[in-house]
Amino acid sequence: MASLVRSSALRALKPLLNDALNPRAQTLRVRAFSTTLSPPSKAVVYEQHGPPDSVTRVINLPPVEVKENDVCVKMLAAPINPSDINRIEGVYPVRPQVPAVGGYEGVGEVHSVGSAVKGLSPGDLVIPSPPSFGTWQNYIVKDQSVWYKINKDSPLEYAATVTVNPLTALRMLEDFTTLKSGDVVVQNGATSIVGQCIIQLAKNRGIHSVNIIRDRAGSDEVKEKLKKLGADEVFTESELQVKDAKSLLAGIPEPALGFNCVGGNAASLVLKFLGRGGTMVTYGGMSKKPITVSTSSFIFKDLSLRGFWLQSWMSTEKAAECRVLIDHLLDLAREGKLKYEMELVPFDGFHAALDKALGKQGSQPKQVINF
Amino acid sequence: MASLVRSSALRALKPLLNDALNPRAQTLRVRAFSTTLSPPSKAVVYEQHGPPDSVTRVINLPPVEVKENDVCVKMLAAPINPSDINRIEGVYPVRPQVPAVGGYEGVGEVHSVGSAVKGLSPGDLVIPSPPSFGTWQNYIVKDQSVWYKINKDSPLEYAATVTVNPLTALRMLEDFTTLKSGDVVVQNGATSIVGQCIIQLAKNRGIHSVNIIRDRAGSDEVKEKLKKLGADEVFTESELQVKDAKSLLAGIPEPALGFNCVGGNAASLVLKFLGRGGTMVTYGGMSKKPITVSTSSFIFKDLSLRGFWLQSWMSTEKAAECRVLIDHLLDLAREGKLKYEMELVPFDGFHAALDKALGKQGSQPKQVINF
């Protein structure tokens, strides 16, 4: 069986996972006397890539040794993100080696610490930062460097989800164009959590947002909801199938920066709104359609098309500031300046939550497992 | 009739053009005694936008006053570039106001200078730099600041064409990615003049080039010709319709920079070759097909798509270095390190040359009018 190489903690998990998955292999494992052990843990595990609802199961893992530099964290909450689903399906460019525990971000409380650990004590609220694999389990044992202590007053569900979506929104607003108060951004997929974060983070900086949503029943309510978050303009795709869509933006400057998480026609609409020299950043492709661009958009309108992938950003030296940004985002969440809908579900209801995250019941709030 | 506002010289031409086009208006024009005048001039003029072969005609323009800061240049050679054709058609984003004289770059010899002109004397070889409208005529009178004196040993046809194509190639190699010796670029439309310049300018800096050409009869000869210019690899589009086109690049690194002047499938092939974090610069769209890009190219491969338009570059502060670059390119042409095919045609044969430039006789060398 392939070895787990993603992190030392997952490496440590391997014999345990193998034991748990093959009961006959659970023979004699001799441990040194006085070794600190984690409590036993329930975990969402997949042994092969495939449809998440059929390849994942919840199993019991035996205790893990807490070495001198390790911290054992009792997980409190962790979301089911679309990228978690893609990782299980095996369609993500970074393919965790199986068997693996699902999940990538989350929040927990320090349960016990190794003898050489400094700066973390039982009861501290921590997140894995940068995020790392295997957050869908009751107890995680990883090196102390993995864990970042956050403000104890942080709302749990935001602490569990602060990195993947809000940090993406924040980086995309900062890393491509220098925006100042009064500037304008345009985005499709505005109802996504990243989209909602962009609206609020932009608003917080005095930046206007033009938002495109798909045609749907109840679009007026959706518009109202996004405007309450701070959206300046919200259009459905069909409202923009007019000759001069730009004339709809009376009184605000042409957008300098655009965000695309849909592709196809919705991406073309973002390009249409962008002013000369503008940049469109692609961070998702919900329609599964490619992006089509005219030659003249590049030559005469001087548009730039770029992409953003948080996991790649995390591997650069820029990620050093990640933890400072997390604090900033959690401050905003605490102050009610950054909000989005989530549904907290008990760990026992994992597969029901997974079905919702897979879209089996239509559009649903983000599912966050409450351990 | 709309006024000519593109340059002071064209403004000055307006009454003359109107007179020339409306013989009945050629009445009394009183000139001050002792005014220096240009010789009368033949010019390719269009009174309205439309198909170049039907809207252009060669007319005689009366003499123009050479004011104290003006220089009168006897044009020696000027090319028919695709962008000249687009300007006449009225499909170019910068639409010269009609009536207008055609042409945008060229080379000439100083014929006479105004009383306040310094640094230019009759007999000097000059080009309009940055290039400007109206080079398809025997004599041009424009402010001294328009003209740049070049080395008298410059080969005429290269001096006439050095700005639009070779400078585009040079800027595109410099302005998007920092390339060092041993790096690789990939391009489609490799037989275009810009394409040939990219091959040679890259070679001159120790940069490898991977070149894509369309399928055609005699493609082996075309490959041979491009390899003689310094191309490392040349493929036809159909040779690249294989699963792993990248494996064809044995032994050279993945390209960091790509150039697209075709669009459609040929653009997709450039994208396919680019390595992670690579940039594709679009500067033309010969197939008239848009560029289609997958979402994952942006997110997981971190590709950037940009555009280049020389006329826009010329309007930035970077254009200050334009004249230094022209000298460099003309040095290379003189040393035989920068070459491409051209056909010199007499001014009398303008419309036959225009037909060739319009592609009526299939692929032809660049047509350069020899006045």
Side-chain angles (χ1 to χ4, degrees):
Chain A
M1 190 172 275
S3 64
L4 287 161
V5 296
R6 287 294 152 199
S7 74
S8 60
L10 274 180
R11 253 201 310 278
L13 262 183
K14 190 200 164 188
L16 303 177
L17 274 175
N18 286 349
D19 287 358
L21 296 165
N22 304 295
R24 277 180 304 177
Q26 290 186 39
T27 48
L28 296 170
R29 291 199 172 268
V30 181
R31 292 177 200 288
F33 181 71
S34 91
T35 297
T36 310
L37 294 179
S38 73
S41 183
K42 262 199 313 182
V44 177
V45 169
Y46 52 106
E47 291 172 76
Q48 58 189 53
H49 295 289
D53 48 356
S54 61
V55 299
T56 56
R57 52 187 176 126
V58 180
I59 63 167
N60 290 302
L61 294 178
V64 179
E65 185 183 345
V66 182
K67 296 193 184 120
E68 59 175 2
N69 285 304
D70 284 346
V71 173
C72 172
V73 170
K74 178 182 190 306
M75 290 303 288
L76 300 174
I80 305 178
N81 284 318
S83 49
D84 295 324
I85 290 172
N86 296 149
R87 284 192 189 90
I88 298 170
E89 290 168 336
V91 300
Y92 215 60
V94 178
R95 214 176 133 108
Q97 287 198 303
V98 290
V101 177
Y104 183 63
E105 65 173 339
V107 63
E109 189 182 272
V110 174
H111 175 80
S112 62
V113 299
S115 57
V117 169
K118 285 173 187 158
L120 289 175
S121 317
D124 285 346
L125 202 61
V126 292
I127 62 171
S129 181
S132 54
F133 299 108
T135 55
W136 294 349
Q137 56 184 324
N138 289 119
Y139 291 93
I140 306 180
V141 176
K142 290 197 182 188
D143 189 86
Q144 59 180 332
S145 64
V146 168
W147 302 104
Y148 179 55
K149 181 176 165 179
I150 57 169
N151 188 321
K152 268 210 163 175
D153 298 332
S154 304
L156 263 199
E157 68 275 31
Y158 286 93
T161 58
V162 68
T163 309
V164 171
N165 288 161
L167 187 57
T168 292
L170 184 65
R171 288 325 319 162
M172 293 200 303
L173 276 167
E174 302 288 343
D175 289 352
F176 296 91
T177 306
T178 304
L179 296 170
K180 56 184 193 310
S181 179
D183 284 344
V184 183
V185 299
V186 56
Q187 66 170 339
N188 60 31
T191 58
S192 70
I193 292 189
V194 173
Q196 293 182 47
C197 290
I198 284 172
I199 292 170
Q200 296 169 85
L201 294 173
K203 172 88 174 175
N204 204 40
R205 285 186 49 196
I207 295 162
H208 302 286
S209 67
V210 176
N211 299 275
I212 305 169
I213 60 174
R214 64 186 161 75
D215 292 275
R216 70 185 90 195
S219 59
D220 283 347
E221 287 151 42
V222 173
K223 285 184 184 181
E224 208 44 53
K225 192 184 133 197
L226 296 181
K227 284 188 177 172
K228 267 193 190 146
L229 289 180
D232 292 80
E233 301 280 354
V234 188
F235 303 103
T236 63
E237 287 188 36
S238 64
E239 285 170 345
L240 298 174
Q241 300 306 332
V242 293
K243 186 140 194 234
D244 188 11
K246 277 195 177 179
S247 66
L248 299 171
L249 298 188
I252 60 173
E254 287 186 321
L257 183 60
F259 304 109
N260 163 47
C261 66
V262 182
N265 177 59
S268 302
L269 292 173
V270 170
L271 293 172
K272 203 191 258 190
F273 271 122
L274 282 178
R276 194 161 193 293
T279 298
M280 181 172 85
V281 181
T282 289
Y283 68 97
M286 288 195 283
S287 74
K288 299 195 190 296
K289 289 181 187 149
I291 297 140
T292 302
V293 201
S294 69
T295 298
S296 64
S297 296
F298 289 117
I299 303 181
F300 303 130
K301 211 174 154 190
D302 192 24
L303 298 188
S304 293
L305 270 64
R306 308 280 300 276
F308 183 81
W309 186 25
L310 187 74
Q311 192 161 337
S312 169
W313 183 84
M314 287 289 184
S315 68
T316 67
E317 74 278 12
K318 287 178 280 180
E321 51 179 319
C322 170
R323 294 179 171 188
V324 180
L325 301 174
I326 294 298
D327 286 338
H328 168 63
L329 290 165
L330 287 176
D331 286 347
L332 291 177
R334 230 178 3 258
E335 294 161 15
K337 290 179 182 165
L338 185 69
K339 52 191 173 190
Y340 42 86
E341 267 181 78
M342 288 173 278
E343 184 178 354
L344 279 166
V345 290
F347 197 7
D348 283 348
F350 171 77
H351 275 97
L354 179 63
D355 284 350
K356 282 190 182 174
L358 287 167
K360 290 187 186 176
Q361 294 167 43
S363 183
Q364 294 285 330
K366 182 176 285 294
Q367 301 292 300
V368 179
I369 308 163
N370 198 358
F371 295 95
Chain B
M1 190 172 277
S3 64
L4 287 161
V5 296
R6 287 293 154 200
S7 75
S8 59
L10 273 181
R11 254 201 308 280
L13 261 183
K14 189 200 164 187
L16 303 176
L17 274 176
N18 285 348
D19 287 359
L21 296 165
N22 302 295
R24 278 181 303 178
Q26 290 187 39
T27 49
L28 298 171
R29 292 205 170 261
V30 181
R31 291 178 198 286
F33 182 69
S34 90
T35 297
T36 310
L37 293 179
S38 74
S41 182
K42 264 201 312 184
V44 177
V45 169
Y46 53 106
E47 291 172 76
Q48 59 190 51
H49 294 289
D53 48 357
S54 61
V55 299
T56 56
R57 52 186 175 127
V58 180
I59 63 168
N60 291 302
L61 294 177
V64 179
E65 185 182 347
V66 182
K67 298 196 182 114
E68 58 174 4
N69 285 304
D70 284 346
V71 173
C72 172
V73 171
K74 179 183 189 306
M75 290 304 288
L76 300 174
I80 306 178
N81 284 318
S83 50
D84 296 325
I85 290 171
N86 295 149
R87 284 192 189 91
I88 298 170
E89 291 169 335
V91 300
Y92 214 61
V94 178
R95 216 175 130 107
Q97 287 197 304
V98 290
V101 177
Y104 182 63
E105 66 173 338
V107 64
E109 187 182 272
V110 173
H111 175 80
S112 62
V113 299
S115 57
V117 169
K118 284 173 187 157
L120 289 174
S121 316
D124 284 346
L125 202 61
V126 291
I127 63 170
S129 182
S132 53
F133 298 108
T135 55
W136 293 348
Q137 56 186 324
N138 290 117
Y139 291 93
I140 305 181
V141 177
K142 290 197 183 187
D143 188 88
Q144 59 180 331
S145 64
V146 168
W147 303 105
Y148 179 55
K149 182 175 165 179
I150 58 170
N151 188 320
K152 266 212 161 170
D153 297 333
S154 304
L156 262 199
E157 67 276 31
Y158 286 93
T161 58
V162 68
T163 308
V164 171
N165 288 161
L167 187 57
T168 291
L170 185 64
R171 286 328 317 165
M172 292 200 303
L173 276 167
E174 302 287 345
D175 289 353
F176 296 91
T177 306
T178 304
L179 296 170
K180 55 185 193 308
S181 180
D183 284 344
V184 183
V185 297
V186 55
Q187 65 170 339
N188 60 31
T191 58
S192 70
I193 292 189
V194 172
Q196 293 182 48
C197 291
I198 284 172
I199 291 170
Q200 296 169 86
L201 294 173
K203 171 89 175 173
N204 204 40
R205 285 186 50 197
I207 296 162
H208 303 286
S209 67
V210 176
N211 299 275
I212 304 168
I213 60 175
R214 64 185 161 75
D215 292 275
R216 67 185 91 195
S219 59
D220 283 347
E221 288 151 42
V222 173
K223 285 183 184 183
E224 209 42 55
K225 194 183 132 195
L226 295 182
K227 283 186 179 174
K228 268 193 189 145
L229 289 180
D232 292 80
E233 301 282 355
V234 188
F235 303 103
T236 63
E237 287 188 37
S238 64
E239 286 170 344
L240 298 174
Q241 300 307 330
V242 292
K243 187 143 193 231
D244 188 12
K246 278 195 175 179
S247 66
L248 298 170
L249 298 188
I252 59 174
E254 287 186 321
L257 183 61
F259 305 109
N260 163 48
C261 66
V262 182
N265 177 58
S268 302
L269 292 172
V270 169
L271 293 172
K272 205 191 257 189
F273 271 122
L274 282 177
R276 196 163 190 294
T279 298
M280 180 173 86
V281 181
T282 289
Y283 68 97
M286 287 195 285
S287 73
K288 299 195 190 294
K289 287 179 189 150
I291 297 139
T292 302
V293 201
S294 70
T295 298
S296 63
S297 297
F298 289 117
I299 303 181
F300 302 130
K301 213 175 152 188
D302 192 25
L303 297 188
S304 292
L305 271 65
R306 308 279 301 275
F308 183 81
W309 185 25
L310 189 73
Q311 192 161 338
S312 168
W313 183 84
M314 287 289 184
S315 68
T316 66
E317 75 278 12
K318 288 178 278 181
E321 51 180 318
C322 170
R323 294 179 171 187
V324 180
L325 301 174
I326 294 298
D327 286 338
H328 168 63
L329 291 165
L330 287 175
D331 286 347
L332 291 176
R334 230 177 5 258
E335 293 161 16
K337 290 180 183 164
L338 185 69
K339 52 191 173 190
Y340 41 85
E341 267 182 78
M342 288 173 278
E343 184 178 354
L344 279 166
V345 292
F347 198 6
D348 284 348
F350 171 78
H351 275 97
L354 180 62
D355 284 350
K356 283 189 181 175
L358 288 168
K360 291 187 186 176
Q361 293 166 45
S363 185
Q364 294 284 332
K366 184 175 284 292
Q367 302 291 301
V368 179
I369 308 163
N370 198 357
F371 295 94

